[in-house]
Amino acid sequence: MGEAGDEYAIAIGIIITALVILLLVAGITLSFFMINKEKSSKAIALSKARLSYEKELRIVENELSEHLMQQFGRELHDNIGHLLTCLRLELENRKLDNESLFEEMSTVDQYLDQTTEQLRLLSRSLNTDYVTKNGLVKSITLEIERYRQLKKFDLQWKHDYHNGTMDSNQELMVFRIFQEVMNNAAKHSQAKAIALHLVGNETFELTIQDDGVGFDTKAILSDGRASGLQNILKRADMAGLHCLISAEIGEGTSFHITNSTQKKIN
Amino acid sequence: MQFVNLVIDIGLQFIIILVGFIEIKRLNVFEKFLWLQILISVINYGSGKLLIHYFGYSQNTFQYNIYFLIEIFIILYATYQFLRNKGVKKLFLIGMTVILVAYFTEIALTGINVFANYSFAFYSMFIATIFLYILYQVTNPRREEQNAKAILFISLGIVLFFLCNAPYMAMMNYLQKINPVLNAQLFHIITDVLSNIRYFLFLVGLVMIIRNKPIVQNG
């Protein structure tokens, strides 16, 4: 009887130990959660602070770059434009002095006209006030006109945009994105044709598609070479827009900027 | 009670094996090996029954000793794949080596027909400690584990099973000698119930993995 009692005491002891361990494990797991929850909330607060700092930094960067572009545009218009006007006057004076120069200087005349026109368009496109005052469609049209004169590629431009779809800051951002995309296309794409389509009523969509050499988006974005692409994504993010970049080597490139919730990089 | 436990046990293991087999591509190495351990456990259980009922063996403890050794290597590989900290990996390897030494010493001393319960008790506590560490890791947001919640459930099941089982396992052979009936009852009360909890939590984790994760192509 005594032995049997001992055996059962051992059995009950084992069961109680198992139950105590069970409770202990539950307690330990709960404490892990609490410790890590605290860590997690601290990490979230830190990352929020970092995000807000980065956002502020981007805004400052953007304001600075807009200011610089505006100044640059004004300098181009006032200074270089003035010098070109002087050059034109000088040329006209020389031609008046010597009539034979009319024929000889005709090519120089043409180049001078083109340079003046390009300068005028460029200085306007760099001017923030111009974009804000004239709106997105007119500003893009002006920039397209400038590219058409360069005769680098065929440009197809379709738009159905109602003013008020976006505020002036967003429009300025979209215009800068458009400029960056066009600049990239002119420098790297070897494209023969670029199609642009702007839609803005309830939703906003801007599609810029070229038939150039394309690129590996993920590789370029991950190795940090593409500051232009990074700028495009940053600007889109700042304007609360989504930028879809679809590119494949040999298959051309397409930028799709929208205010809808789709966001993807191919 | 014993019958209900058995039905739940077999049912859970069957579902785990079936689900794991169908969705094997969604599991990473760690998860695959934990699933494999359950598969081998079922094979071991089934073949044990066959040995006794169809081949006339009086006992199949030697088979459980062999299974224990296989389980050590499966858990060793799975856990080694999960751990990232080199120091912890080294400690884990040292611990597993000590367990293997203890296991072979115990087998040499008591024979293959006596379950190596002291090694198993030590192994249980060691594995529970390691999985408590894993539990801590997966609750840590900095680890950014893809299936943190699923691994949490699986690890919790393993910790509960091994840690709560350790006291019984340490006393198992002694109880078997003095009161085999009581020992069998305790086995059903403790090991079977804990086994059911472990497999249930594993199944919950497995379902979470399948719902959350795309197919893993390599590894």
Side-chain angles (χ1 to χ4, degrees):
Chain A
M1 183 66 190
E3 266 185 32
D6 284 349
E7 288 157 16
Y8 280 101
I10 291 170
I12 290 166
I14 290 170
I15 294 170
I16 290 171
T17 314
L19 286 173
V20 168
I21 293 170
L22 196 89
L23 289 173
L24 207 68
V25 171
I28 290 169
T29 314
L30 208 67
S31 63
F32 281 173
F33 265 112
M34 283 160 77
I35 292 166
N36 285 322
K37 202 177 173 185
E38 204 181 312
K39 273 187 188 174
S40 168
S41 56
K42 276 182 188 169
I44 288 168
L46 195 72
S47 84
K48 268 186 186 170
R50 200 172 290 154
L51 267 175
S52 134
Y53 170 74
E54 275 174 13
K55 204 173 174 182
E56 286 293 321
L57 202 68
R58 275 192 211 174
I59 291 168
V60 171
E61 266 177 11
N62 190 52
E63 279 173 359
L64 195 69
S65 101
E66 285 300 331
H67 179 71
L68 280 172
M69 274 198 265
Q70 192 150 6
Q71 250 191 344
F72 188 61
R74 277 184 195 151
E75 282 298 308
L76 276 180
H77 184 266
D78 300 345
N79 202 350
I80 313 290
H82 174 70
L83 289 172
L84 283 172
T85 312
C86 292
L87 188 66
R88 158 76 56 202
L89 286 171
E90 187 62 31
L91 195 68
E92 292 302 324
N93 281 338
R94 294 279 170 95
K95 281 198 281 189
L96 285 173
D97 294 343
N98 186 354
E99 282 189 6
S100 65
L101 282 176
F102 270 97
E103 190 76 17
E104 282 177 38
M105 289 293 173
S106 64
T107 324
V108 178
D109 261 346
Q110 275 177 17
Y111 283 132
L112 197 56
D113 284 345
Q114 280 177 17
T115 312
T116 311
E117 182 61 12
Q118 279 291 318
L119 188 81
R120 189 179 63 83
L121 293 171
L122 186 63
S123 70
R124 275 189 192 174
S125 77
L126 289 172
N127 193 337
T128 311
D129 291 341
Y130 183 85
V131 181
T132 317
K133 215 179 278 176
N134 295 291
L136 188 61
V137 175
K138 201 172 173 185
S139 305
I140 291 180
T141 310
L142 178 87
E143 191 73 347
I144 285 172
E145 200 49 50
R146 190 169 75 82
Y147 274 101
R148 276 189 179 139
Q149 285 182 18
L150 291 172
K151 291 175 184 163
K152 273 205 136 188
F153 25 64
D154 284 338
L155 277 158
Q156 281 188 328
W157 167 223
K158 284 182 196 169
H159 54 86
D160 178 17
Y161 182 80
H162 298 275
N163 284 333
T165 308
M166 291 201 295
D167 61 39
S168 58
N169 281 335
Q170 282 180 310
E171 285 193 347
L172 183 62
M173 286 289 182
V174 171
F175 182 69
R176 294 293 177 225
I177 291 170
F178 157 76
Q179 280 183 312
E180 190 72 52
V181 172
M182 292 302 287
N183 190 34
N184 282 350
K187 276 204 287 191
H188 312 293
S189 76
Q190 298 169 32
K192 286 177 183 162
I194 298 181
L196 294 109
H197 193 201
L198 175 69
V199 178
N201 31 54
E202 279 179 5
T203 56
F204 170 84
E205 277 179 64
L206 172 64
T207 310
I208 307 167
Q209 196 166 7
D210 71 47
D211 62 350
V213 291
F215 56 89
D216 184 346
T217 323
K218 275 183 189 165
I220 285 185
L221 280 173
S222 61
D223 72 7
R225 276 185 288 154
S227 62
L229 280 185
Q230 297 283 8
N231 278 340
I232 289 168
L233 294 172
K234 267 188 198 174
R235 281 183 190 276
D237 192 39
M238 279 178 75
L241 301 169
H242 303 301
C243 183
L244 170 84
I245 307 169
S246 309
E248 237 173 87
I249 293 167
E251 299 288 321
T253 308
S254 162
F255 287 84
H256 188 72
I257 299 133
T258 173
N259 63 355
S260 78
T261 49
Q262 284 177 300
K263 189 178 184 181
K264 193 177 151 193
I265 295 172
N266 283 340
Chain B
M1 173 74 177
Q2 191 185 327
F3 178 73
V4 174
N5 263 340
L6 190 71
V7 170
I8 295 171
D9 200 28
I10 292 171
L12 281 171
Q13 290 189 51
F14 176 75
I15 298 168
I16 288 168
I17 288 164
L18 193 73
V19 174
F21 197 74
I22 295 166
E23 302 286 349
I24 194 92
K25 282 187 175 174
R26 290 182 200 268
L27 308 180
N28 63 27
V29 181
F30 175 67
E31 295 148 6
K32 266 180 197 162
F33 270 78
L34 290 181
W35 173 81
L36 181 72
Q37 187 265 318
I38 293 171
L39 176 69
I40 291 173
S41 148
V42 170
I43 294 169
N44 175 57
Y45 180 81
S47 56
K49 290 284 169 202
L50 277 177
L51 282 179
I52 287 176
H53 296 294
Y54 292 97
F55 295 99
Y57 279 73
S58 58
Q59 57 111 345
N60 61 352
T61 314
F62 73 92
Q63 193 199 334
Y64 277 86
N65 276 328
I66 296 166
Y67 165 70
F68 175 28
L69 190 64
I70 296 168
E71 186 183 301
I72 288 177
F73 282 106
I74 293 173
I75 297 282
L76 172 80
Y77 188 72
T79 314
Y80 194 79
Q81 290 297 316
F82 182 85
L83 297 172
R84 290 183 190 170
N85 187 302
K86 279 184 182 173
V88 177
K89 273 188 170 185
K90 268 184 195 167
L91 273 176
F92 177 65
L93 284 179
I94 292 167
M96 286 308 240
T97 313
V98 172
I99 287 164
L100 282 172
V101 170
Y103 169 82
F104 284 114
T105 312
E106 199 176 345
I107 292 289
L109 289 172
T110 57
I112 191 95
N113 285 321
V114 178
F115 186 63
N117 66 320
Y118 294 117
S119 312
F120 191 82
F122 177 55
Y123 163 76
S124 296
M125 285 188 282
F126 181 71
I127 287 298
T129 312
I130 288 293
F131 273 83
L132 270 175
Y133 173 76
I134 291 176
L135 209 64
Y136 180 74
Q137 289 291 305
V138 291
T139 51
N140 188 351
R142 283 186 194 169
R143 163 103 186 187
E144 289 175 353
E145 193 65 44
Q146 197 179 5
N147 284 311
K149 274 189 183 171
I151 295 172
L152 186 136
F153 277 103
I154 293 170
S155 304
L156 190 62
I158 289 171
V159 170
L160 284 175
F161 177 81
F162 282 108
L163 213 55
C164 297
N165 217 5
Y168 166 68
M169 279 294 160
M171 301 297 286
M172 193 177 82
N173 283 355
Y174 172 71
L175 282 170
Q176 181 64 24
K177 265 185 207 165
I178 59 166
N179 193 337
V181 180
L182 181 67
N183 186 39
Q185 279 178 339
L186 267 183
F187 184 85
H188 295 306
I189 291 170
I190 298 175
T191 310
D192 278 355
V193 172
L194 286 172
S195 169
N196 285 344
I197 295 171
R198 178 188 174 183
Y199 292 136
F200 174 72
L201 291 173
F202 191 95
L203 185 63
V204 172
L206 194 65
V207 171
M208 280 179 160
I209 291 165
I210 290 160
R211 287 180 65 177
N212 291 341
K213 205 169 170 183
I215 292 170
V216 178
Q217 292 297 345
N218 38 14

